[in-house]
């Protein structure tokens, strides 16, 4: 999915850096939220990640040497924040499993909230469920390469890895997806 370019702060496309940031936000917010959602599989967290990245990046976007790299800068920020969120959530999940186990031994059972039950059903979608089975780096590569339609070089730059690593992770990730989804190729 190719994205259109938008003015960047200080790039001359808008009347002020604030207007350029607003234009950048309007042009790319939804695509960045989709990217974050595919990585963390939580809509509210995905929106928070993108919002936090825009807020943290606003002062730095005006200082970019290459004005055309604002989207790549934001995309990398989203991937990094999603990785941090994913790791933090893994720690939270381990703690909650331990805590719920302790609560159940005291006779206090745990029932999922309605929201959690709805989200669990949405995870039953075959491709999104299969994506969640991939290791984090493979998921990042597959989402960036095939969902956001980045080139191998752009994916490598976004993740801070080599193009060879992108090829390797993409190959392994696609093979795992084919296996999970029952593909014959």
């Amino acid at each position: 999915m190719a994205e259109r370019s938008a003015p960047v702060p200080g790039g001359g496309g808008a009347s002020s850096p604030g207007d350029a940031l607003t234009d950048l936000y309007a042009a790319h917010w939804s695509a960045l939220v989709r990217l974050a959602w595919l990585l963390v599989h939580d809509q509210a967290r995905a929106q928070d990640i993108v919002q936090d990245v825009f807020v943290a990046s606003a002062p730095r976007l005006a200082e970019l040497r290459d004005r055309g790299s604002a989207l790549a800068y934001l995309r990398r920020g989203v991937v990094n924040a999603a990785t941090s969120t994913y790791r933090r959530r893994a720690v939270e999940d381990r703690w909650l499993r331990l805590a719920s186990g302790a609560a159940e031994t005291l006779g206090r059972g745990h029932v999922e909230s309605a929201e959690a039950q709805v989200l669990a059903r949405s995870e039953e979608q075959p491709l999104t469920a299969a994506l969640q089975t991939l290791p984090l780096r493979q998921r990042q590569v597959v989402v960036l390469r095939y969902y956001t339609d980045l080139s191998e070089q752009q994916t490598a730059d976004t993740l801070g890895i080599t193009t060879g690593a992108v090829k390797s992770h993409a190959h392994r990730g696609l093979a795992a997806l084919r296996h999970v989804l029952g593909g014959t190729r």
Side-chain angles (χ1 to χ4, degrees), residues 107-138:
R108 297 178 303 194
H110 175 72
V111 176
E112 294 288 331
S113 69
E115 294 86 359
Q117 292 175 18
V118 169
L119 288 174
R121 284 192 194 111
S122 73
E123 290 176 1
E124 294 171 2
Q125 299 297 322
L127 183 57
T128 55
L131 273 173
Q132 296 305 306
T133 66
L134 296 178
L136 179 60
R137 183 63 77 182
Q138 287 179 13

Side-chain angles (χ1 to χ4, degrees), residues 36-153:
W37 184 86
L38 285 167
L39 296 173
V40 298
H41 209 66
D42 182 324
Q43 184 67 24
R45 287 186 191 200
Q47 291 172 344
D48 288 344
I49 286 169
V50 173
Q51 187 68 33
D52 291 345
V53 167
F54 266 99
V55 169
S57 301
R60 293 176 191 93
L61 288 174
E63 299 169 2
L64 287 177
R65 290 183 195 157
D66 179 11
R67 299 298 182 196
S69 64
L71 179 57
Y73 183 82
L74 290 168
R75 193 179 290 126
R76 183 167 190 157
V78 167
V79 169
N80 290 343
T83 300
S84 294
T85 297
Y86 180 80
R87 289 177 180 155
R88 185 171 36 256
R89 187 168 62 183
V91 170
E92 290 171 359
D93 288 347
R94 280 193 304 270
W95 184 87
L96 287 172
R97 275 195 305 273
L98 289 172
S100 71
E104 289 172 5
T105 58
L106 297 174
R108 297 178 303 194
H110 175 72
V111 176
E112 294 288 331
S113 69
E115 294 86 359
Q117 292 175 18
V118 169
L119 288 174
R121 284 192 194 111
S122 73
E123 290 176 1
E124 294 171 2
Q125 299 297 322
L127 183 57
T128 55
L131 273 173
Q132 296 305 306
T133 66
L134 296 178
L136 179 60
R137 183 63 77 182
Q138 287 179 13
R139 183 176 342 137
Q140 290 171 337
V141 168
V142 168
V143 167
L144 289 171
R145 278 285 288 135
Y146 302 107
Y147 180 78
T148 61
D149 201 27
L150 295 183
S151 69
E152 288 172 348
Q153 185 61 51

